[in-house]
């Protein structure tokens, strides 16, 4: 028998999975240092004294670990535990430890209440920048951080309540545990009910006084709240219909989760809302049944009391949407600069360059507006500044929050298929942006509030006009827009209520664009302001991002991002 000495040959394996032409991870960057527009705005509006801390925050939130925590907090989402294993009612919400690490860092850097603890020129500016840096990477935790910030003016309307709770809200320590002896506190709020929504005067929750009632007195609340934000918080501001000798009508109450004797207040979490976005932050329905609360402010003046809180959270909606725009632009530009297509870097492809530049324009306009508004909220604000912020905050809340969702979608598209996956942050951002438009008053509510402000506080319209008029003469297209806006406002004042309501959205849009354009003309390079005014106010105004007018300095716009 003869044996062959030949050995069989096998083909070498093919290399099928070499990864190339993918962008590098956008991690371990300093988000404050890279955000030229934010840094300029902070300096312009008297916040430079906190630059070192803002750089520290920028490095923290840009780190790989913080971004990983943000991903975990949005994918391993809060879980409700109504009872313990022995059947005792506990009504607790369990969060992933990553969420607690994030909110702890945010509180430690004063993103909640630093402007109240250290009031000086630029305090609200610095707080806004801190809030935006944290919210740029993980937006869900910003909800309770915002409410803890916003609760301070409402609490101070009731000095005895403020004496107990304000020091806890100002604390820079954070603990997720509930307890009567805690030195710190996170706040939530609960206004809406299923039958009323934005019409809070239709609320049916009843507040019965334990004694004689009145401001600072103890009440027992019974009712159902359709939305309760951040139900793991230590205390809440709620609205209820007061009854009894202490005064009647819709009133504001502070509701603690834990009573002074250490027992749990009646706070039955019925379910967590299955939301489109804002996944890391729990929202819930709650039942109140003889729940202990203390009246804050005058009886029957609940809306007036809690509106102090709402004014602050509306500003935070502007800040949150703006932070989201920054994340969208940063991720889209980073991807385009690190990927080749059709023989050139994607960012250098003319069509893509135009889209990126247009997204950057929107982000810059939002940022300069947001920080300008924050400065108007400082304690040294003049009467004119206060009148300006009353109207301008609502105008900006309407427009910037409306622009957020489509802005995030267009940025997502810049990443192609990667953008549509949950492995990249723009899918989260796309789901997140709409909540800013819904929270604290959806579009119609805000537009009608603008009309209300102009009617009841005419000084606000004069202050708004004075602000935008400071840019007169610098850009002919803007000048023409301001003339048209004044005509619109004059016509609006002569209309009946129904006609004015129908026109409200269009007028508020014109006001918002006038404010943004005037700020850019005054503060940003000509490459930015000229392109924004031409694209948003010019004759060739387009409806989609990327259709910038001929002659726009795209490179000059993008070098700031």
């Amino acid at each position: 028998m003869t044996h062959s000495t030949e050995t069989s040959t096998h083909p070498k394996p093919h290399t099928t999975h070499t990864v190339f032409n993918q962008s590098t991870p956008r991690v371990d960057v300093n988000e404050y240092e890279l955000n030229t527009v934010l840094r300029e705005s902070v300096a312009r509006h008297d916040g430079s004294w906190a630059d070192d801390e803002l750089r520290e925050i920028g490095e923290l939130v840009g780190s790989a670990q913080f971004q990983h925590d943000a991903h975990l907090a949005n994918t391993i989402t809060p879980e409700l535990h109504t009872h313990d294993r022995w059947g005792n009612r506990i009504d607790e919400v369990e969060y992933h430890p990553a969420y607690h690490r994030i909110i702890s860092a945010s509180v430690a850097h004063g993103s909640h209440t630093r402007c109240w603890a250290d009031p000086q020129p630029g305090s609200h500016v610095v707080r806004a920048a801190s809030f935006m840096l944290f919210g740029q990477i993980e937006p869900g935790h910003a909800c309770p951080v915002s409410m803890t910030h916003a609760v301070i003016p409402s609490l101070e309307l009731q000095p005895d309540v403020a004496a107990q709770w304000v020091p806890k809200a100002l604390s820079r320590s954070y603990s997720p545990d509930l307890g009567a002896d805690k030195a710190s506190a996170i706040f939530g709020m609960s206004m809406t009910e299923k039958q009323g929504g934005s019409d809070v005067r239709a609320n049916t929750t009843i507040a019965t006084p334990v004694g004689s009632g009145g401001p600072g007195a103890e009440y027992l609340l019974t009712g159902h709240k359709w939305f309760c934000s951040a139900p793991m918080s230590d205390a809440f501001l709620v609205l209820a219909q007061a009854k009894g000798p202490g005064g009647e009508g819709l009133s504001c109450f502070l509701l603690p989760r834990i009573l002074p004797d250490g027992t749990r207040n009646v706070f039955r979490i019925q379910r967590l809302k299955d939301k489109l976005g804002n996944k890391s932050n729990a929202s819930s329905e709650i039942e109140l049944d003889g729940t202990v609360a203390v009246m804050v402010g005058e009886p029957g003046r609940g809306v007036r009391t809690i509106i102090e809180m709402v004014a602050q959270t509306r500003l935070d909606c502007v800040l949150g949407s703006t932070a989201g725009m920054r994340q969208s632009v940063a991720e889209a530009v980073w991807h385009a600069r690190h990927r080749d297509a059709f023989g050139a870097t994607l960012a250098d492809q003319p069509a893509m360059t135009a889209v990126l530049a247009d997204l950057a324009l929107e982000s810059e306009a939002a940022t300069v507006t947001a920080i300008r508004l924050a400065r108007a909220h400082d304690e040294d604000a003049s009467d004119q500044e206060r009148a300006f912020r009353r109207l301008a905050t609502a105008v900006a809340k309407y427009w910037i929050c409306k622009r957020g969702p489509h802005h995030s979608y267009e940025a997502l598209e810049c990443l192609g298929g990667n953008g549509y996956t949950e492995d990249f942050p723009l899918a989260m951002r796309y789901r997140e942006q709409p909540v800013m438009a819904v929270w604290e008053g959806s579009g119609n509510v805000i537009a009608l509030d603008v009309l209300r402000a102009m009617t009841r506080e005419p000084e606000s319209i004069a202050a708004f006009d004075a602000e935008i008029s400071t840019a007169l003469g610098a850009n002919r297209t803007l000048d023409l827009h301001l003339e048209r806006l004044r005509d619109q406002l004059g016509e609006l004042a002569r209309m009946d209520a129904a006609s004015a309501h129908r026109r409200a959205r269009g007028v508020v849009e014109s006001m918002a664009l006038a404010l943004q354009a005037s700020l850019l003309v005054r503060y940003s390079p000509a490459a930015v302001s000229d392109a924004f005014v031409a694209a948003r106010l010019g004759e060739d105004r387009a409806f989609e991002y990327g259709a910038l007018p001929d002659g726009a300095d795209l490179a000059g716009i993008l070098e700031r991002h």
Side-chain angles (χ1 to χ4, degrees):
M1 180 179 294
T2 303
H3 297 279
S4 173
T5 58
E6 294 183 7
T7 58
S8 61
T9 59
H10 299 282
K12 293 181 179 180
H14 292 284
T15 301
T16 62
H17 195 70
T18 301
V19 178
F20 64 100
N21 197 27
Q22 288 278 357
S23 64
T24 58
R26 191 178 180 277
V27 297
D28 295 328
V29 297
N30 191 309
E31 295 290 2
Y32 185 61
E33 287 286 357
L34 291 177
N35 194 338
T36 301
V37 182
L38 181 60
R39 285 190 290 104
E40 289 177 352
S41 298
V42 168
R44 179 185 308 123
H45 296 295
D46 305 311
S48 293
W49 49 267
D51 261 358
D52 288 345
E53 185 173 5
L54 292 173
R55 286 191 181 91
E56 181 182 329
I57 294 171
E59 183 176 1
L60 170 64
V61 301
S63 68
Q65 182 58 58
F66 193 92
Q67 293 190 34
H68 183 58
D69 277 348
H71 180 73
L72 290 174
N74 280 276
T75 51
I76 307 175
T77 53
E79 183 178 355
L80 173 62
H81 302 291
T82 56
H83 296 78
D84 66 16
R85 56 181 172 171
W86 296 282
N88 299 303
R89 186 100 198 193
I90 56 173
D91 296 291
E92 292 184 353
V93 182
E94 182 180 6
Y95 293 76
H96 190 275
Y99 174 87
H100 293 303
R101 289 193 292 270
I102 286 170
I103 193 172
S104 179
S106 186
V107 168
H109 284 282
S111 298
H112 58 329
T113 55
R114 68 175 301 154
C115 53
W116 311 119
D118 181 25
Q120 60 176 297
S123 286
H124 276 262
V125 169
V126 172
R127 183 263 160 183
S130 172
F131 180 81
M132 289 165 67
L133 287 167
F134 278 101
Q136 175 183 329
I137 307 302
E138 203 302 290
H141 85 285
C143 174
V145 167
S146 173
M147 289 185 292
T148 305
H149 157 75
V151 76
I152 301 296
S154 293
L155 291 180
E156 289 180 339
L157 297 174
Q158 194 64 45
D160 52 341
V161 176
Q164 177 185 357
W165 286 97
V166 167
K168 295 184 178 185
L170 295 181
S171 171
R172 288 202 183 191
S173 65
Y174 168 77
S175 170
D177 300 326
L178 296 173
D181 57 350
K182 285 180 65 174
S184 63
I186 295 295
F187 277 82
M189 65 189 299
S190 187
M191 293 193 294
T192 59
E193 299 181 6
K194 54 182 173 290
Q195 75 282 350
S198 297
D199 183 9
V200 294
R201 296 190 183 278
N203 284 5
T204 60
T205 297
I206 300 298
T208 305
V210 174
S212 58
E218 191 172 281
Y219 282 72
L220 299 180
L221 275 54
T222 301
H224 180 99
K225 291 294 182 181
W226 189 236
F227 271 96
C228 176
S229 297
M232 73 296 178
S233 301
D234 299 287
F236 302 83
L237 283 192
V238 301
L239 294 177
Q241 303 286 354
K243 304 293 181 183
E248 301 205 347
L250 189 68
S251 306
C252 180
F253 297 87
L254 183 142
L255 187 163
R257 280 299 308 270
I258 305 297
L259 299 175
D261 63 2
T263 60
R264 297 194 174 210
N265 208 353
V266 180
F267 188 88
R268 297 181 186 138
I269 304 176
Q270 301 297 81
R271 62 171 174 164
L272 300 185
K273 296 290 192 178
D274 186 8
K275 296 173 294 182
L276 167 68
N278 208 238
K279 295 291 188 178
S280 69
N281 173 52
S283 301
S284 65
E285 293 175 38
I286 58 170
E287 289 283 356
L288 308 176
D289 186 6
T291 303
V292 177
V294 176
M295 183 180 284
V296 176
E298 296 297 320
R301 300 275 291 169
V303 172
R304 186 68 194 91
T305 301
I306 211 166
I307 204 68
E308 298 293 333
M309 185 177 190
V310 171
Q312 297 292 329
T313 50
R314 282 183 176 175
L315 173 60
D316 280 1
C317 287
V318 175
L319 302 179
S321 289
T322 301
M325 288 184 183
R326 170 58 188 168
Q327 182 182 43
S328 296
V329 169
E331 294 291 338
V333 171
W334 180 277
H335 172 83
R337 285 174 175 164
H338 289 82
R339 186 174 177 86
D340 292 333
F342 309 109
T345 302
L346 189 58
D348 293 327
Q349 301 283 354
M352 179 60 78
T353 307
V355 171
L356 295 173
D358 211 350
L359 292 172
L361 285 179
E362 196 72 39
S363 177
E364 182 154 350
T367 302
V368 297
T369 304
I371 299 300
R372 171 66 182 94
L373 286 175
R375 184 64 179 92
H377 282 76
D378 277 328
E379 283 199 358
D380 65 348
S382 64
D383 289 342
Q384 180 168 315
E385 277 286 272
R386 293 173 186 272
F388 164 71
R389 81 189 189 200
R390 167 65 183 94
L391 191 57
T393 301
V395 167
K397 198 280 184 190
Y398 172 86
W399 182 243
I400 292 175
C401 296
K402 283 284 185 200
R403 298 291 282 175
H406 188 67
H407 185 273
S408 64
Y409 152 69
E410 194 69 57
L412 179 156
E413 189 175 295
C414 292
L415 272 68
N418 285 352
Y420 200 64
T421 70
E422 298 291 348
D423 290 326
F424 291 80
L426 293 193
M428 177 273 293
R429 181 57 62 183
Y430 179 60
R431 289 184 283 101
E432 194 71 29
Q433 287 291 59
V435 73
M436 294 294 107
V438 173
W439 194 36
E440 304 303 10
S442 54
N444 285 345
V445 171
I446 299 298
L448 296 180
D449 185 57
V450 171
L451 297 187
R452 188 180 305 110
M454 290 191 292
T455 301
R456 296 181 181 177
E457 303 169 60
E459 67 275 13
S460 67
I461 214 170
F464 187 90
D465 185 77
E467 174 72 22
I468 60 178
S469 294
T470 55
L472 275 172
N475 184 293
R476 179 58 180 161
T477 301
L478 175 58
D479 290 350
L480 292 173
H481 178 76
L482 297 184
E483 289 178 15
R484 290 193 299 271
L485 175 58
R486 289 186 179 125
D487 290 342
Q488 284 181 295
L489 293 172
E491 293 173 4
L492 197 69
R494 295 187 292 271
M495 290 179 181
D496 61 82
S499 298
H501 288 186
R502 284 194 294 270
R503 289 283 301 277
R505 283 186 172 226
V507 173
V508 175
E509 177 181 328
S510 293
M511 294 174 72
L513 288 169
L515 177 59
Q516 289 187 321
S518 70
L519 289 169
L520 291 178
V521 164
R522 281 179 279 162
Y523 299 137
S524 294
V528 174
S529 59
D530 290 350
F532 183 89
V533 171
R536 305 298 190 264
L537 305 178
E539 294 180 356
D540 296 327
R541 180 179 177 181
F543 294 100
E544 289 289 347
Y545 289 105
L548 292 175
D550 292 340
D553 183 359
L554 307 186
I557 296 167
L558 283 173
E559 71 180 9
R560 298 166 59 75
H561 297 269

